[in-house]
Amino acid sequence: MCDCKDEKGKALDAVLDEYGRDAGSLIGILQKTQDIYGYLPSDVIYYVAAQTGTTPAKVMGVATFYTQFRLEPVGKYLIMLCKGTACHVNGSDRIEAAITNELGIQNGETTKDGLFTLKNVACLGCCSLSPVMMINEETFGSLTPDKAVEILNEFKKRKEEIA
Amino acid sequence: MRVVVGQGSCGIAAGAGKVYNALASLRANPSDFSLETTGCIGMCFLEPIVDLYEGEDLKARLVHVAEGDAEKIVNAVLQNNLDELKPMMISDDDASFLSQQTRIALRNCGIIDPTDINSYKAKDGYMALEKVLKTMTPEEVIEEIKVSGLAGRGGAGFPTWFKWNAARGSEGDEKYLICNADEGDPGAFMDRAVIESDPHNLIEGMLIAAYAIGASEAIVYVRAEYPLAIIRLENAIAQAKAEGIIGDDIMGSGFSCKFRYMAGAGAFVCGEETALIESLEGKRGMPRLKPPFPAAAGYKMKPSNINNVETFANVAWIINNGGEAFAAMGTEGSKGTKVFALTGKVKRGGLVEIPMGATLRHVIFDIGGGIREDKKIKAVQMGGPSGGCIPERLLDTVIDYKALSATGAIMGSGGMVVMDESTCMVGMAKFFLDFTSKESCGKCVHCRIGTRRMLEILTRIVEGNGKDGDIELLEELCNAIKDGALCGLGQTAPNPVLTTIRYFRDEYEAHINDKKCPAGECMDLLHYRIDPEKCKGCTMCARNCPVKAISGETKKPHVIDESKCIKCGHCMTLCKFDAISVE
Ligand SMILES: Cc1cc2nc3c(=O)[nH]c(=O)nc-3n(C[C@H](O)[C@H](O)[C@H](O)COP(=O)(O)O)c2cc1C
Ligand code: FES
C-alpha cells in the first residue's frame, strides 16, 4: 500500500484534510486526487479508502462509475472528442476516423510516445460550433477531418519546441 | 465608450480570448475606453462578438471579429468614428435572431459582466431577494410562483410551486435546496450559458426557493465538462458571501442559508434527481426507488427540493414583475418562456428564448434562418436521449408540454437539433441507443439489457443485416422497457426509436429490405463504383486511395475492390471525369 509520504502524498493528505476525510465527499476527493496524479493509481485508491473509513471496493465502484476518472495515466494531450447529438449530425464520426487514422489509436487509447490520449465525450456545450473537440483546456470548433489533423500536427510541433 | 467582448465558452472557442487580449494590448491608457467582459448572448453562429456601448446604449455590434481586427476597432473607438467598422457590423437579418426573442431567463446574458456582482445589481439584481426576505412570507412566495404557472424546465415540466410546497410541508428542521446543473442532454447548453453569463441570477433564484421551503443549505450540482461555468459560479458565490447575501442572517432578515457547489464527474444518469442525490452523497449515481420522493427524504434522507437551472433563472423576474406577468405569456397549459439550444443543420445556431405557444417552424425558419445550404429539413430532435424526432410535416406544432408530448417527443430541457435530408433516421435512433446503453447505470434489467438488445438490432439494420420482423421486435422491446425500467432514463430511452419508427418507417424498411440508406449516410450500405465508360484510366484515384483499394492499368478503366474500400469518398472528389458514383 502507498505510504503516500512523497510530495504528491503530502498534497493528497491536504486534500483529505480539506474534505474532513469524509466518504460523503468521495467524488470531490477523487477529482482532486486525479489532479495530483493525473489518474487514480490503485495503491492511492487503497489509501483513500483507509483514510475515509470506507472499503477499496466502494472507492473503486465510484471511480469506475464516472467517466471522468481514469485508472491509467493519460497522454500529455488529452483529446476530448465530442460525440454529442449536434456534433453527430454535423459529422463527428468522420472527425473520429481522421484522428484514429492519424494517431493510430482508438477511443480510450494513448499513443506509444505518450503524447495523445483520445477520449470520446458527450457534448462540450459548444454545439453551435459542432463538430467540436477539446485538447487539454483548449476548444476547437467547426472541425473538418483535415482541420482536425492540422491541429494535431500543431500540438506535435509544440512538443518539439519544448524539447 | 465601452468595448465589451462576449466570453462564454463558445465565444472563447471561436477566439474571443485572443480578441480581448489584442484589444487590451492596444489600449495605451485605461481611460481611453473601458474594456469589459460579458457572457454569451446566444448568437453562437456569429462569435466572436464585440459590442460597443455608450453608457447603456448599444452603438454597434461587431461579429466574427478576428484578432487582427483589434487595431481597426481601437482606432475607430478612439476617433469616435464607427463608420469604419461597418463591414464588421451585424446584418439586420442576423440581428433578427435576437430581436424576435423574449428574454426572461436569459435577460442579462451577454449584457452584464458575469464576473462582477455590481453589474448584476445594476440590473435590479438581488432586489427580488430583498423583497422576499423583508416583505413576504414563504407561503406568499409559493403562491406567487403558483400564479406564474412556472413549471420545471429540466424536462418533466412539473409545477414548481407544488414541489416547493411539498418540501415546505415536510417535517424536519434540516432541509436542502438543490440545483440540477448536470445538463446531460448531449446537444443542449442553455444551463451552461446561464451559469457562465449570469451566475447571480441563479444564486438569487435559489436563495428565494431556499427561503420558501425553509432550507438551510443550497447546493448546485454542476456538470464536470463545464470548467468555465464552475469558475464563474465559484467566483459569484464568493462575491455574494462577501456581501452578506449568502450565509447567516441574510440582509438582516434572520434567514440564514449556506451555499456551495459540487462538480459532477460525468454520468448522464446523475441528471435524474435521485441519482443526483446519491452522487452528492459521494456514491455511484444509481437512482433510488420512489417513493419516498426527495421532498420527503432526499439528500442525507432529509427533505430536499431539486430544480433545474432555467427554472431558478425565472424566479427573480417573477417576484419582481409578478406571477401574472409571467402567466400572461404562453399557452393554456404552458406559461412563460422557454430557452432552446438550436443546433444541427440550421443556419443560425444558438440560444433562443421565446414565449411558449410559438411554432417549431417559427423557431427554425424565422429565428434560425432555415437550413444550411438551403437543403430540405427532415426532422427536428427535441428532448435528447429521452425525446424524439418530429418530422417536417408536424413543424406547425406549438411549443407546449402537451402538444409536444402528443408527437411522441417531449419539451425536454431545451435541446433542439435540426436535421436535413442527409441525416439517416435509423442512424439517429442508433446514436441515441448507443448513448443510453452506455449511460444505463445497470441497476434494473429492463434498461441494462433492453437498451443493449435494441442497440444490437439497430446496429445490424444500419450494417445491412436487418431481418424481417426487426421493426416489430424493436417495438416490442420499446414497450417492455418503458413499462419495466426503474427510472426516467430507461423509461424514456425507447422514445428516439419509437418516434423514428412512427414517422420514418420507410427508412427502416429500405435498410432492411433493400439494403439501402436513403440518406446516404450508413457507410456499410454505400457502394462506390467506377463507370468503365467514363473512366479514362488516369490513375489519379488509384494513386490517392488511402487503402489501395483501386486498381487498373494506365489508360484502362479502373475498378474498386469493395472488400478493401473504406468508403471515404476521396476518389469521388478527385475524379475529373465524373466516373465515380456512390449508391
Ligand atoms: C436520465 C435523466 C436525466 C436527466 N437529466 C437532467 C438534467 O440534465 N438537468 C435537469 O435539470 N433535469 C434532468 N432530469 C430531470 C430531473 O430528474 C428532475 O426532474 C429535474 O431536475 C427537476 O427540476 P425541474 O422541476 O425544475 O425541471 C433528468 C431526468 C432523467 C430521468
Ligand atoms: S453536441 Fe458536441 S458540443 Fe454539444
Side-chain angles (χ1 to χ4, degrees):
Chain A
M1 193 159 117
C2 154
D3 61 1
C4 295
K5 290 279 178 280
D6 53 0
E7 273 311 301
K8 286 181 176 172
K10 279 185 201 142
L12 174 58
D13 269 328
V15 167
L16 287 163
D17 286 341
E18 183 190 334
Y19 286 98
R21 294 175 200 258
D22 171 20
S25 303
L26 201 50
I27 293 173
I29 292 173
L30 292 182
Q31 282 167 334
K32 295 211 168 159
T33 305
Q34 182 159 285
D35 286 344
I36 297 170
Y37 292 90
Y39 70 110
L40 299 175
S42 69
D43 52 349
V44 171
I45 287 182
Y46 275 85
Y47 184 73
V48 169
Q51 292 296 315
T52 53
T54 178
T55 62
K58 280 258 161 64
V59 181
M60 200 64 186
V62 170
T64 51
F65 187 83
Y66 298 96
T67 54
Q68 194 186 28
F69 297 122
R70 303 181 289 261
L71 302 175
E72 274 162 31
V74 280
K76 184 165 173 200
Y77 300 118
L78 176 63
I79 307 168
M80 294 205 273
L81 177 70
C82 179
K83 301 281 283 186
T85 318
C87 289
H88 169 79
V89 169
N90 282 320
S92 58
D93 284 350
R94 281 187 298 131
I95 310 298
E96 185 178 4
I99 296 175
T100 53
N101 219 358
E102 175 69 22
L103 299 178
I105 50 170
Q106 301 295 322
N107 177 29
E109 296 176 353
T110 302
T111 51
K112 283 211 183 70
D113 59 5
L115 205 54
F116 293 102
T117 299
L118 175 62
K119 189 162 183 199
N120 290 347
V121 297
C123 194
L124 295 164
C126 295
C127 320
S128 352
L129 302 171
S130 57
V132 178
M133 69 175 171
M134 199 163 165
I135 302 186
N136 292 355
E137 298 279 280
E138 240 177 296
T139 311
F140 302 90
S142 310
L143 295 175
T144 60
D146 289 343
K147 197 170 152 191
V149 170
E150 227 172 83
I151 294 167
L152 294 181
N153 285 329
E154 283 287 313
F155 276 89
K156 284 184 196 161
K157 260 194 237 143
R158 271 193 212 180
K159 184 222 166 183
E160 280 156 23
E161 274 160 28
I162 300 166
Chain B
M1 183 102 47
R2 291 163 54 219
V3 178
V4 182
V5 184
Q7 298 200 71
S9 282
C10 34
I12 293 174
K18 288 180 188 146
V19 171
Y20 183 92
N21 291 340
L23 290 167
S25 71
L26 288 168
R27 185 173 63 160
N29 209 321
S31 63
D32 289 349
F33 57 87
S34 119
L35 182 59
E36 300 169 18
T37 295
T38 187
C40 172
I41 190 111
M43 296 196 283
C44 311
F45 62 107
L46 297 174
E47 296 284 0
I49 298 174
V50 176
D51 287 339
L52 306 178
Y53 284 93
E54 198 74 76
E56 292 296 301
D57 275 348
L58 180 63
K59 291 290 175 199
R61 171 159 288 150
L62 312 177
V63 301
H64 290 307
V65 179
E67 209 177 342
D69 296 327
E71 196 169 335
K72 229 188 196 168
I73 297 173
V74 170
N75 287 340
V77 167
L78 291 179
Q79 288 157 17
N80 209 356
N81 177 8
L82 302 185
D83 286 346
E84 292 285 300
L85 302 175
K86 276 253 160 67
M88 292 158 71
M89 288 183 199
I90 188 170
S91 69
D92 289 345
D93 200 27
D94 283 346
S96 73
F97 179 85
L98 201 59
S99 60
Q100 293 179 77
Q101 302 190 27
T102 303
R103 291 200 155 179
I104 292 179
L106 302 180
R107 63 193 178 279
N108 295 324
C109 292
I111 296 170
I112 66 165
D113 180 349
T115 62
D116 181 7
I117 190 170
N118 292 318
S119 188
Y120 179 65
K121 283 186 166 172
K123 296 279 179 192
D124 298 341
Y126 291 114
M127 237 174 62
L129 178 66
E130 187 168 7
K131 177 173 167 189
V132 162
L133 294 182
K134 295 194 173 154
T135 69
M136 293 170 85
T137 63
E139 289 76 12
E140 283 168 343
V141 175
I142 293 173
E143 183 57 30
E144 195 70 59
I145 298 298
K146 184 176 179 182
V147 169
S148 77
L150 178 65
R153 300 299 194 234
F158 207 72
T160 303
W161 77 271
F162 191 91
K163 284 172 44 169
W164 290 13
N165 202 39
R168 165 139 208 97
S170 287
E171 294 284 325
D173 45 10
E174 196 182 324
K175 294 182 186 174
Y176 293 93
L177 189 275
I178 301 165
C179 172
N180 188 341
D182 200 41
E183 191 146 71
D185 172 2
F189 54 93
M190 307 74 51
D191 297 347
R192 169 182 71 70
V194 169
I195 304 175
E196 281 178 7
S197 313
D198 197 10
H200 287 288
N201 184 23
L202 173 63
I203 295 176
E204 184 171 13
M206 286 178 67
L207 288 171
I208 292 169
Y211 173 75
I213 71 166
S216 51
E217 184 166 11
I219 309 167
V220 185
Y221 185 94
V222 52
R223 204 163 173 254
E225 287 89 340
Y226 290 170
L228 183 64
I230 292 175
I231 292 170
R232 299 238 165 111
L233 181 63
E234 195 168 10
N235 175 55
I237 293 172
Q239 288 176 346
K241 251 183 207 152
E243 302 229 351
I245 290 168
I246 288 170
D248 291 333
D249 189 20
I250 297 170
M251 296 177 174
S253 65
F255 171 66
S256 302
C257 189
K258 289 190 274 197
F259 202 109
R260 67 182 166 97
Y261 78 90
M262 170 175 159
F268 172 65
V269 70
C270 289
E272 197 282 333
E273 53 189 12
T274 59
L276 186 151
I277 289 171
E278 288 282 301
S279 183
L280 268 183
E281 293 175 356
K283 297 184 246 172
R284 288 164 72 93
M286 314 263 262
R288 297 176 180 169
L289 203 59
K290 289 190 268 193
F293 288 91
Y299 181 51
K300 298 185 180 167
M301 295 318 265
K302 305 280 187 223
S304 307
N305 178 66
I306 302 191
N307 283 118
N308 165 263
V309 174
E310 188 188 332
T311 311
F312 287 124
N314 285 306
V315 169
W317 190 94
I318 291 172
I319 297 295
N320 281 331
N321 297 273
E324 274 161 22
F326 193 81
M329 287 176 287
T331 61
E332 183 63 36
S334 308
K335 301 298 185 193
T337 59
K338 178 78 195 84
V339 182
F340 292 98
L342 184 62
T343 60
K345 301 280 180 158
V346 70
K347 276 188 190 151
R348 300 196 286 242
L351 289 176
V352 177
E353 181 170 1
I354 31 129
M356 303 271 194
T359 65
L360 296 173
R361 197 180 296 280
H362 172 65
V363 174
I364 297 166
F365 285 89
D366 299 336
I367 298 178
I371 310 303
R372 287 188 200 164
E373 298 167 23
D374 291 315
K375 286 194 179 159
K376 252 188 82 192
I377 183 171
K378 185 188 260 182
V380 55
Q381 211 286 338
M382 290 183 73
S386 309
C389 293
I390 302 173
E392 196 276 338
R393 64 171 196 276
L394 293 181
L395 287 187
D396 291 314
T397 306
V398 293
I399 291 166
D400 170 277
Y401 288 101
K402 264 212 186 118
L404 288 168
S405 294
T407 68
I410 53 168
M411 172 87 71
S413 59
M416 203 188 261
V417 184
V418 178
M419 291 165 275
D420 67 14
E421 55 214 336
S422 67
T423 310
C424 171
M425 301 315 279
V426 187
M428 206 63 207
K430 176 182 164 252
F431 166 81
F432 281 117
L433 262 292
D434 183 45
F435 182 83
T436 34
S437 66
K438 279 183 191 142
E439 294 293 340
S440 168
C441 77
K443 186 164 176 168
C444 72
V445 178
H446 280 80
C447 177
R448 181 180 70 236
I449 315 243
T451 53
R452 195 141 285 268
R453 280 290 95 81
M454 293 220 291
L455 177 61
E456 282 167 11
I457 298 169
L458 289 163
T459 305
R460 76 173 177 240
I461 295 177
V462 300
E463 287 177 349
N465 301 318
K467 289 187 260 191
D468 209 24
D470 271 353
I471 300 180
E472 292 71 22
L473 185 56
L474 276 174
E475 285 174 326
E476 190 188 327
L477 273 167
C478 284
N479 292 325
I481 296 169
K482 260 181 176 268
D483 290 344
L486 172 67
C487 87
L489 193 155
Q491 287 157 9
T492 58
N495 286 346
V497 179
L498 285 172
T499 52
T500 47
I501 293 181
R502 178 162 162 194
Y503 299 117
F504 301 96
R505 202 180 181 103
D506 52 333
E507 284 197 34
Y508 279 83
E509 285 165 351
H511 282 77
I512 297 172
N513 302 334
D514 313 330
K515 310 295 175 208
K516 285 213 165 80
C517 172
E521 201 182 40
C522 294
M523 292 277 193
D524 290 304
L525 302 181
L526 295 183
H527 304 284
Y528 283 84
R529 292 202 210 298
I530 301 179
D531 182 348
E533 305 276 299
K534 289 186 183 165
C535 178
K536 300 271 186 274
C538 75
T539 74
M540 178 68 117
C541 58
R543 278 182 286 128
N544 286 290
C545 173
V547 291
K548 306 259 175 286
I550 307 179
S551 59
E553 288 173 39
T554 319
K555 298 200 178 151
K556 297 228 173 98
H558 282 47
V559 282
I560 300 176
D561 180 350
E562 277 232 43
S563 64
K564 287 189 190 158
C565 176
I566 55 165
K567 320 203 174 165
C568 65
H570 198 46
C571 52
M572 201 160 103
T573 47
L574 287 175
C575 182
K576 293 201 186 84
F577 308 101
D578 240 358
I580 304 180
S581 60
V582 59
E583 58 183 50

